[in-house]
Amino acid sequence: MPNLSHYQSLFDGENTEARCNRVLEEVAPDVKRVFEQFIGSRDIPIGEDLYIRSYDTTLKTTISDSRNPALAEQKKNSDIGRKYFVGLFKKLGDKEINFLTLELNGIDRSVLIHTEVNFIPFWSWVKSDVIQEVLSSIPDKYSIFTGRKEKEQVSKEDMENYIKGCIKPRKRPSFQIGMSFALKEQLNEEEWIGHLQEAWDELSHFRNHINDELQIGQRALVALQQLSAIRDIKKTVLLGRSYTVDLSSVENYKSQGKRQSFQINDGDQMITKGSISYLDYHDKNSPYQTIVVKVAGGNQIFTNVREILNNKEQEWWIKKLFATQSMDNKEILKNAMQLLQEHDIKVDGNSYYVGTYDNASETFNEGAHQVKQNFINAALLFAHARKAVELPSDIDDNDLEKEEHELTETETLEPNFRLAEIYDMIENSQFTFSKSIVRDLHLNLTALDDKHFVVLSGISGTGKTQICRLYANAVYGLEYENENPYFSIIPVRPDWTDASSLFGYYSSFEKRYVKTEFLKVILNALKQREKPHFILLDEMNLARVEYYLSDYLSAVESRKEIPLHQDDHITDVPQRLSIPPNIYILGTINVDETTHSISDKVLDRAFVMTLSDVDFTSFWDRVDQDMKDLLKKEFVLLKELHATLAKYELHFGYRTMGEMLQKLYANYQLGSDHAMDWKESLDGVIAEKVLTKIRGDERISEMLNELNKWLTAKIEGDSVSLQHVKRMQEELEYYGATQFWR
């Protein structure tokens, strides 16, 4: 007979490894035995698609990690092993449905028998207005719980509003629907089995709703998969001009689906980049399967795939709206629809047609190739119509001016400073930053209520600028490529000698106040105090920081206003300026002979982060699959080279690695008749991108010796890089110092 009080004492154990061991040895056999008896009592057919899964794997992994010196400290205070569960799951496509779970939770001291459902189906039921029907299928005796550790109970009456309240702030909790009782004393196995049988029978209608919802999603994913599989679109004709289309391989995108990048070229010149996302759901805007086509950093197409699902053929018409900030959106829409018609895409008012889906055969009548071509062409024409990208035309060569700041019709920007969501967006970008770096930046920016100033230093190419943009965009739920009207990059110039470089000045000649980008952001922040405004001062120590930033730092510290002018006739700029607390200043610095040191006055008022470590393993995981297939050996050698240089603090960053790989990949694309041998190509990028930064005195003597040996062994033959290294060794021996440049 299971002793629940004893189980609780095991869950309360302080040592993680010992706790996991005892739970695995004493709790797991009892709970699994009870669950398997329940399965047998209901003749549930266990097989490939319907299976039992437990907490055992997590416990075993934690035990192993706790014995690993590199991970032991991290696992010491873990809550793993403070619960145990065993559940019945069904495989549906690449999804897993939880049908029933028996969970013993030592944190809130409860036994829970439940069906677990993530947030997305509930969001879908709310959006499709069937949530009350779904909730009515749950008997009143069962509760709805949420929370990973301590459980919170949500009543059925409050559930719809609870779901709606999670959508905008992007909270995505899971829910457990079932019964709970205290984890204490004893409960005989017959009672356990009886509770499981009861829950299995009485939650059957609710499980059917889950199954139906996921089945609809699977049907939509079938249509998505057909489109994502197409990669042989090589060209398109727009505005009478032929362009080449370069579609990349399909890559995983967050936990939401897949994404495929593409590039449009006019001859050898890139015109624009874009991407097609094939999503199981859109975390911000839709619980449904969705296609998002981006061009020039904006969503040009955003459509729900479920619209084409029924029992017959269904035409796919997509409604289009524009929501630019400073243009005539009705006129843009009119022009866009006219452009679509001229390119043989049917339109009807503000809707356009991309294809017809035959639900019986689950195929597109026009073929998936043509439908995907229509998506790409429409997105490019929309970007052209709203002046987000210029498509050179053999019909009309009017110059187009890019719209500087624009919100798409599918996005209203609301800030969110929750680290979990911010890190999730950064982790799923094409860039590589550890959680510790993201967390440190987050804390440095948000720990103080009224002062937000972070300086990022480190070797070139480690992503100092990228992480600033990533973070600012993630706060607003935007991807790296999106334009963020609340993030400004301001390059610092060496001739900045006073505060006018930031705050502008009154021109007595022009009789007006000359505004800078920095001042415009401050003024906008004063108007929109609920919106955080991020400013990146790029390479901020090209000028003396204390010269041009002193007024700002003093104003933030003292909360006093900064005097700007004394002219009563100037109405667009106040005479005195206060710095609002929704301004976030980031600065990047490089330390070399072209820059200035940072004074203590500045350092005292900033958090300083150093980004010098790089993780090329994670970087490689994000590289396009086509490039991976071709450049495995080159990447391994470049990592070896990096490791040698890192010992002497002369290593390179992500940008350098990425650019070297791009050139090596481009060499392969030349074909066998023109491409260099892979070693010759590798030798070239090493000489051009790595050795150029080497300089020093006798302290780099050993490093040059190591490079000499490595190049001799790995590159062989007549190596250009080896010649440079030998020359630098000779100069070092003769002069006592050397550098790549002669």
Side-chain angles (χ1 to χ4, degrees):
M1 181 179 293
N3 187 319
L4 301 184
S5 297
H6 176 60
Y7 292 164
Q8 183 65 62
S9 69
L10 300 181
F11 293 142
D12 288 339
E14 288 300 318
N15 183 279
T16 301
E17 181 185 350
R19 182 175 66 244
C20 291
N21 258 317
R22 295 198 66 186
V23 169
L24 198 58
E25 292 171 357
E26 300 183 46
V27 180
D30 290 346
V31 178
K32 284 193 285 189
R33 182 177 65 254
V34 168
F35 199 81
E36 288 166 358
Q37 289 181 39
F38 149 69
I39 294 293
S41 73
R42 283 294 184 265
D43 294 323
I44 299 172
I46 301 300
E48 184 177 341
D49 293 331
L50 197 61
Y51 52 91
I52 296 173
R53 182 166 64 77
S54 71
Y55 199 48
D56 290 23
T57 301
T58 301
L59 293 172
K60 291 175 182 177
T61 301
T62 303
I63 292 169
S64 176
D65 290 347
S66 297
R67 295 168 181 170
N68 183 340
L71 301 172
E73 188 65 29
Q74 172 185 337
K75 297 294 181 181
K76 184 182 294 184
N77 298 317
S78 169
D79 281 330
I80 296 173
R82 297 195 186 278
K83 69 175 183 178
Y84 185 80
F85 76 83
V86 59
L88 179 65
F89 296 84
K90 179 181 178 180
K91 196 74 173 176
L92 185 62
D94 59 355
K95 291 188 177 63
E96 184 180 70
I97 308 172
N98 174 226
F99 273 169
L100 197 66
T101 291
L102 172 58
E103 177 182 317
L104 282 64
N105 190 315
I107 295 176
D108 65 2
R109 298 173 179 268
S110 67
V111 177
L112 186 62
I113 295 174
H114 68 269
T115 294
E116 183 164 12
V117 188
N118 68 34
F119 178 81
I120 303 304
F122 277 101
W123 185 9
S124 175
W125 291 325
V126 168
K127 193 173 180 68
S128 56
D129 204 25
V130 297
I131 183 64
Q132 295 305 323
E133 178 186 342
V134 173
L135 292 174
S136 67
S137 70
I138 303 172
D140 291 339
K141 64 189 288 186
Y142 293 95
S143 301
I144 302 174
F145 301 95
T146 187
R148 281 294 170 194
K149 294 182 180 180
E150 296 181 0
K151 303 295 184 185
E152 172 190 357
Q153 190 169 332
V154 184
S155 70
K156 287 201 288 185
E157 292 74 20
D158 295 336
M159 189 64 178
E160 182 171 358
N161 287 333
Y162 185 92
I163 296 295
K164 289 178 179 178
C166 291
I167 294 171
K168 188 174 181 179
R170 300 199 298 279
K171 295 179 182 177
R172 302 295 179 254
S174 292
F175 300 98
Q176 299 86 40
I177 292 83
M179 62 178 73
S180 174
F181 46 89
L183 181 59
K184 63 181 181 180
E185 299 176 353
Q186 293 184 338
L187 188 71
N188 65 48
E189 293 186 4
E190 289 74 19
E191 288 180 279
W192 284 51
I193 295 169
H195 285 310
L196 287 165
Q197 291 171 336
E198 187 179 0
W200 176 258
D201 296 338
E202 294 179 345
L203 290 173
S204 61
H205 293 306
F206 177 66
R207 288 199 306 274
N208 289 338
H209 282 294
I210 301 171
N211 193 63
D212 291 346
E213 166 63 24
L214 295 180
Q215 289 283 4
I216 294 171
Q218 284 301 117
R219 289 179 58 200
L221 287 175
V222 169
L224 278 179
Q225 288 162 1
Q226 290 184 54
L227 295 175
S228 66
I230 301 300
R231 198 179 167 187
D232 60 346
I233 298 174
K234 299 298 182 185
K235 69 174 185 177
T236 190
V237 178
L238 298 171
L239 303 175
R241 195 179 185 95
S242 181
Y243 299 94
T244 59
V245 181
D246 183 9
L247 279 163
S248 72
S249 56
V250 177
E251 305 285 348
N252 288 331
Y253 176 63
K254 302 184 180 179
S255 58
Q256 303 170 35
K258 307 285 185 179
R259 183 164 67 175
Q260 183 176 36
S261 300
F262 64 84
Q263 184 171 304
I264 306 300
N265 301 308
D266 184 6
D268 293 331
Q269 178 63 46
M270 185 192 78
I271 299 299
T272 190
K273 288 183 177 181
S275 66
I276 308 175
S277 297
Y278 313 92
L279 305 179
D280 191 21
Y281 63 93
H282 188 278
D283 189 53
K284 188 175 180 183
N285 292 306
S286 175
Y288 302 140
Q289 289 67 37
T290 302
I291 286 184
V292 183
V293 187
K294 293 192 174 187
V295 174
N299 290 351
Q300 311 301 334
I301 298 175
F302 187 100
T303 185
N304 165 21
V305 183
R306 293 192 183 192
E307 293 179 359
I308 62 174
L309 300 182
N310 55 34
N311 296 320
K312 55 185 180 181
E313 292 185 351
Q314 178 64 46
E315 292 187 344
W316 199 348
W317 288 85
I318 303 171
K319 184 177 289 186
K320 179 63 181 175
L321 297 172
F322 289 92
T324 63
Q325 288 185 327
S326 58
M327 301 174 70
D328 186 337
N329 292 303
K330 289 184 179 179
E331 187 65 25
I332 298 173
L333 180 62
K334 178 183 175 181
N335 293 338
M337 294 296 110
Q338 179 65 35
L339 283 170
L340 294 186
Q341 284 185 305
E342 292 171 359
H343 289 80
D344 299 322
I345 296 177
K346 291 189 291 186
V347 303
D348 182 9
N350 65 341
S351 297
Y352 60 99
Y353 169 84
V354 291
T356 296
Y357 190 65
D358 185 343
N359 283 271
S361 63
E362 295 187 320
T363 58
F364 291 97
N365 290 351
E366 299 87 349
H369 185 285
Q370 183 60 53
V371 174
K372 187 165 183 173
Q373 179 101 51
N374 289 343
F375 269 108
I376 293 173
N377 287 354
L380 289 166
L381 292 171
F382 290 148
H384 177 82
R386 75 188 219 190
K387 301 182 179 180
V389 68
E390 178 179 356
L391 291 175
S393 168
D394 287 346
I395 297 174
D396 184 358
D397 290 328
N398 291 331
D399 291 333
L400 303 177
E401 182 179 346
K402 184 176 179 180
E403 180 68 10
E404 183 178 355
H405 290 315
E406 179 180 6
L407 303 183
T408 71
E409 60 272 20
T410 60
E411 294 177 330
T412 55
L413 299 184
E414 294 294 338
N416 163 27
F417 274 107
R418 286 188 298 278
L419 178 60
E421 284 88 344
I422 291 171
Y423 177 66
D424 182 61
M425 292 205 70
I426 294 176
E427 184 184 31
N428 288 287
S429 71
Q430 72 266 39
F431 298 100
T432 306
F433 294 104
S434 68
K435 187 171 186 177
S436 61
I437 289 175
V438 176
R439 179 178 57 222
D440 198 30
L441 177 60
H442 174 75
L443 291 172
N444 289 342
L445 278 172
T446 61
L448 305 179
D449 292 333
D450 56 352
K451 291 193 296 184
H452 316 288
F453 182 26
V454 178
V455 175
L456 296 97
S457 68
I459 65 169
S460 177
T462 49
K464 298 186 292 294
T465 301
Q466 284 88 343
I467 195 173
C468 294
R469 179 176 180 131
L470 277 168
Y471 184 90
N473 278 18
V475 165
Y476 283 101
L478 298 171
E479 296 177 34
Y480 179 82
E481 300 85 358
N482 287 81
E483 288 296 324
N484 183 349
Y486 302 105
F487 174 69
S488 300
I489 299 179
I490 300 177
V492 172
R493 293 168 51 92
D495 59 355
W496 285 12
T497 57
D498 57 38
S500 65
S501 305
L502 293 183
F503 295 103
Y505 59 93
Y506 176 73
S507 172
S508 56
F509 176 74
E510 300 179 59
K511 303 297 182 184
R512 69 181 182 91
Y513 197 92
V514 179
K515 290 190 285 187
T516 62
E517 177 69 15
F518 189 91
L519 178 60
K520 291 176 185 177
V521 175
I522 302 293
L523 295 175
N524 197 51
L526 287 165
K527 295 176 184 176
Q528 301 185 64
R529 289 180 176 262
E530 78 284 3
K531 306 280 191 181
H533 289 61
F534 298 89
I535 300 174
L536 172 60
L537 298 174
D538 201 24
E539 299 194 61
M540 65 184 302
N541 62 332
L542 282 178
R544 292 197 175 277
V545 181
E546 61 273 18
Y547 287 180
Y548 65 84
L549 201 61
S550 58
D551 284 6
Y552 174 87
L553 295 174
S554 296
V556 170
E557 193 73 28
S558 66
R559 310 312 304 165
K560 292 182 179 179
E561 295 179 325
I562 300 172
L564 297 181
H565 65 88
Q566 297 178 335
D567 193 326
D568 294 333
H569 298 292
I570 295 175
T571 58
D572 59 337
V573 177
Q575 292 185 355
R576 304 181 71 83
L577 182 72
S578 62
I579 306 298
N582 58 326
I583 288 292
Y584 293 73
I585 301 293
L586 302 115
T588 64
I589 62 173
N590 290 313
V591 180
D592 56 38
E593 65 276 3
T594 68
T595 61
H596 300 278
S597 60
I598 309 293
S599 70
D600 288 346
K601 176 182 179 180
V602 176
L603 295 176
D604 286 346
R605 289 162 173 78
F607 287 104
V608 180
M609 297 175 59
T610 302
L611 275 65
S612 288
D613 295 332
V614 292
D615 178 7
F616 283 135
T617 300
S618 298
F619 170 87
W620 184 246
D621 290 339
R622 288 168 164 78
V623 169
D624 185 88
Q625 189 60 48
D626 292 347
M627 191 178 289
K628 285 183 185 177
D629 293 340
L630 285 173
L631 301 178
K632 289 179 182 177
K633 55 183 179 295
E634 289 93 331
F635 176 70
V636 169
L637 290 174
L638 288 173
K639 273 185 66 178
E640 290 180 7
L641 176 60
H642 177 270
T644 298
L645 296 172
K647 293 185 292 186
Y648 302 91
E649 298 295 327
L650 288 170
H651 53 298
F652 48 88
Y654 297 117
R655 180 173 58 230
T656 298
M657 175 65 88
E659 291 176 358
M660 288 192 291
L661 292 177
Q662 287 286 353
K663 181 174 179 180
L664 294 171
Y665 182 69
N667 177 60
Y668 276 107
Q669 303 305 107
L670 296 176
S672 57
D673 291 341
H674 302 286
M676 290 180 280
D677 172 78
W678 73 270
K679 286 189 176 181
E680 182 184 357
S681 181
L682 180 64
D683 183 33
V685 296
I686 291 171
E688 295 162 350
K689 298 292 291 183
V690 179
L691 300 186
T692 52
K693 296 179 182 179
I694 291 180
R695 57 183 176 272
D697 53 24
E698 65 275 0
R699 287 172 291 183
I700 67 167
S701 175
E702 184 56 35
M703 184 198 72
L704 291 174
N705 289 334
E706 289 189 47
L707 285 180
N708 189 320
K709 294 175 183 177
W710 185 85
L711 289 166
T712 301
K714 304 296 183 179
I715 303 298
E716 303 170 344
D718 187 20
S719 166
V720 173
S721 298
L722 183 57
Q723 293 176 23
H724 284 299
V725 169
K726 288 180 176 179
R727 172 184 56 79
M728 285 189 281
Q729 285 180 298
E730 293 172 358
E731 290 177 353
L732 182 61
E733 184 177 353
Y734 188 81
Y735 297 109
T738 188
Q739 62 176 1
F740 175 84
W741 301 103
R742 306 175 91 170

